Amino acid sequence: MLILHHDVTSPASAVAVLRLQPLADAGAHVWFAGIDVLGLAIAIPPTLDLLAELERYRDRAAELGLELHRPSRQPPTLDCHLVGDLAEESGVGAAWRQATLRAYWSEDRDVCDHAELRALGAEIGLSDAEVAARLSDPAARRGLMSRMTAQRHRGIGGVPVLEAGGAFVPADLDDDDLAQLAWG
């Protein structure tokens, strides 16, 4: 199985998600694992690293169908990933990833705001009650935070990171190597 560790606020992650999703849709063994790389409690202005990454990946994202605009903020994404877990469990994980990437990068929506997350959930068919319940579930929050901390202890700092058979691999592999890993 190939695991993509990603975050919605990373342009490189957006490109990796857009490259891997068609393989997953075709039946390749790909799993998407969200991680809040900054681990902040509040949104901050876009960092210089994010802006440099945006310039590097803007054209490739556009080729893959996503317009990357300069965001007004770099929010914490733990809550976004909480709903992402719910979306995966409900069979709409791919739609969630697409919706959150579009919302953050093309529409400058705040992907840590609970009202926005509930609206995005409704756009992909999740019930408002389910999304609200997940966002207010302290056990789900602690569990996700614990999983993210464990991933950091394993060496995942920046994203995107591919994991193949327990080994970390750069996500910017060429298309043939990426497909070989996904179908392996």
Side-chain angles (χ1 to χ4, degrees):
M1 172 169 295
L2 184 63
I3 303 169
L4 173 63
H5 300 276
H6 66 97
D7 197 8
V8 68
T9 62
S10 160
S13 284
V15 166
V17 166
L18 294 170
R19 290 179 66 214
L20 280 166
Q21 190 61 58
L23 295 170
D25 293 344
H29 301 287
V30 179
W31 183 257
F32 298 86
I35 183 168
D36 182 354
V37 292
L38 291 181
L40 300 172
I42 60 169
I44 60 173
T47 64
L48 293 176
D49 287 342
L50 180 138
L51 296 176
E53 193 176 308
L54 172 61
E55 288 307 310
R56 180 173 176 207
Y57 288 94
R58 182 187 313 254
D59 292 342
R60 182 65 173 129
E63 290 170 10
L64 295 166
L66 179 66
E67 294 296 322
L68 301 181
H69 301 290
R70 181 187 172 129
S72 62
R73 70 190 72 75
Q74 194 165 350
T77 56
L78 178 74
D79 289 345
C80 184
H81 294 305
L82 271 173
V83 181
D85 285 352
L86 173 63
E88 285 293 341
E89 294 162 15
S90 302
V92 291
W96 178 254
R97 287 184 290 280
Q98 185 66 34
T100 56
L101 289 173
R102 183 195 71 250
Y104 182 69
W105 289 108
S106 300
E107 300 169 359
D108 198 31
R109 291 167 70 180
D110 187 352
V111 294
C112 77
D113 178 78
H114 285 198
E116 286 287 355
L117 293 173
R118 289 167 67 181
L120 286 167
E123 288 175 20
I124 64 159
L126 294 174
S127 82
D128 186 60
E130 286 178 309
V131 174
R134 183 59 61 100
L135 288 169
S136 64
D137 182 348
R141 182 176 303 281
R142 282 190 307 274
L144 183 56
M145 288 173 67
S146 177
R147 287 193 309 274
M148 289 180 181
T149 299
Q151 297 298 11
R152 286 185 189 94
H153 286 290
R154 293 181 58 226
I156 297 174
V159 290
V161 173
L162 291 173
E163 185 175 351
F168 297 136
V169 180
D172 59 356
L173 298 171
D174 67 44
D175 289 340
D176 291 337
D177 290 339
L178 191 62
Q180 185 174 12
L181 277 177
W183 288 104

